[in-house]
Amino acid sequence: SGLFPLLLKPGFGTVGAFRAAALLSTVLVGTGLYAWGRVIAGRLAGVLTVVVALGFAPMTRLPRMLNYYPEATAFFVIGAAMFSAGLMHPKRRGLAWAGAGIGLALCADVRGLVWAVPWTAAALWAIGWGGENRKSAAKAFFLPLILSFFVGRWAYPADTASFESQLDVRPLYHLLHGSEMPEHLPPY
């Protein structure tokens, strides 16, 4: 998720890079929503998906977030569009798209696991349902996932917060809300 701000930093400075990356990511979210709707139900559905999304506050606030959420959101939405395209055409090429979408979500942020687990289950079901070319479909699906594993080594350095620690809300209750309940106190 930090790739866009990193690439934009020389031309915009640190804060400007986060602003430009948030705006670029918002455009990518809109593009991904259009592609996602179009893949599932056609051009009109793609347009309506974007129009409906513009009515929700998180979408309109996305370009003003100077953190990694706009980038992660863009990668999750594009990954969802790629995954949906793959399952709409569950042959070798389609399942490669599905695997690439899952890999993109996994490399975007640790919370990509929330998306990747059900997507992987659905893709494995599609492979099992596929017929005589199951072996080649499975290879096409797993190749992008294997490649994303190696990209993940670059995206997640050794000091990255674990998925479990990001889901643990006890420190938030204690530090932000002043809770003194024993279950909210350290050690976690």
Side-chain angles (χ1 to χ4, degrees):
S1 294
L3 187 61
F4 291 161
L6 178 68
L7 294 174
L8 295 169
K9 185 181 177 200
F12 292 94
T14 303
V15 175
F18 273 102
R19 271 196 312 245
L23 185 60
L24 172 64
S25 297
T26 303
V27 170
L28 289 175
V29 168
T31 304
L33 286 171
Y34 170 77
W36 197 359
R38 181 169 187 225
V39 158
I40 293 174
R43 287 186 184 134
L44 180 61
V47 171
L48 291 175
T49 302
V50 174
V51 169
V52 169
L54 288 173
F56 291 98
M59 185 66 176
T60 59
R61 292 183 183 153
L62 202 59
R64 292 179 262 170
M65 292 184 178
L66 302 182
N67 53 31
Y68 295 123
Y69 288 114
E71 292 84 357
T73 303
F75 292 140
F76 293 150
V77 170
I78 291 170
M82 293 168 70
F83 173 76
S84 297
L87 279 199
M88 293 300 286
H89 309 286
K91 303 292 182 214
R92 225 173 46 192
R93 182 181 294 165
L95 288 164
W97 277 103
I102 294 169
L104 183 62
L106 288 171
C107 288
D109 190 71
V110 175
R111 287 160 281 203
L113 280 170
V114 173
W115 295 59
V117 170
W119 289 353
T120 301
L124 291 175
W125 178 80
I127 290 169
W129 193 262
E132 68 247 11
N133 291 329
R134 289 182 192 160
K135 193 172 187 177
S136 67
K139 286 179 186 177
F141 172 70
F142 283 110
L143 180 63
L145 287 176
I146 292 167
L147 293 174
S148 74
F149 175 78
F150 293 106
V151 172
R153 288 183 179 183
W154 175 69
Y156 298 107
D159 60 344
T160 301
S162 70
F163 182 63
E164 293 85 3
S165 69
Q166 289 189 29
L167 292 178
D168 191 357
V169 295
R170 294 176 298 173
L172 294 175
Y173 285 126
H174 175 65
L175 297 172
L176 297 179
H177 301 292
S179 173
E180 294 298 325
M181 295 177 68
E183 59 267 14
H184 298 157
L185 298 175
Y188 302 112

